[in-house]
Amino acid sequence: MLAIVLRFEPLTPGKIRSDMTVPDEEWIKTLADGRKVKFVYHRLPEDGAFITAQLAGNEVVYSVILIAAGNPLSRQDVERHFEGELSKK
């Protein structure tokens, strides 16, 4: 069994850790059937990543935390994680 532990540290004014300032990316892609999907990719410390996909007009957000992402991920890498969920109608 795999356990994921998230650590949160309070930030004080003037103290921002350099590993927390990684760039985030989001984009919208139109699928072959015309549906639009918003993807989000957040790089996390220690080669982690938080990725999401949300179909336009849908409240459901598919989210994945990768603990060994192999950063940086390409847009195609992120999109590939959600192919199964997005192929369902």
Side-chain angles (χ1 to χ4, degrees), residues 1-44:
M1 182 159 117
L2 175 65
I4 297 175
V5 177
L6 299 176
R7 293 179 288 139
F8 296 95
E9 299 177 14
L11 291 178
T12 57
K15 180 184 174 190
I16 297 179
R17 294 177 22 200
S18 63
D19 63 351
M20 294 180 66
T21 59
V22 293
D24 299 331
E25 186 175 2
E26 58 182 63
W27 65 97
I28 296 175
K29 178 180 181 176
T30 303
L31 302 178
D33 62 7
R35 295 179 297 162
K36 294 187 183 293
V37 183
K38 178 181 178 182
F39 293 96
V40 177
Y41 165 44
H42 295 281
R43 291 177 64 177
L44 301 175

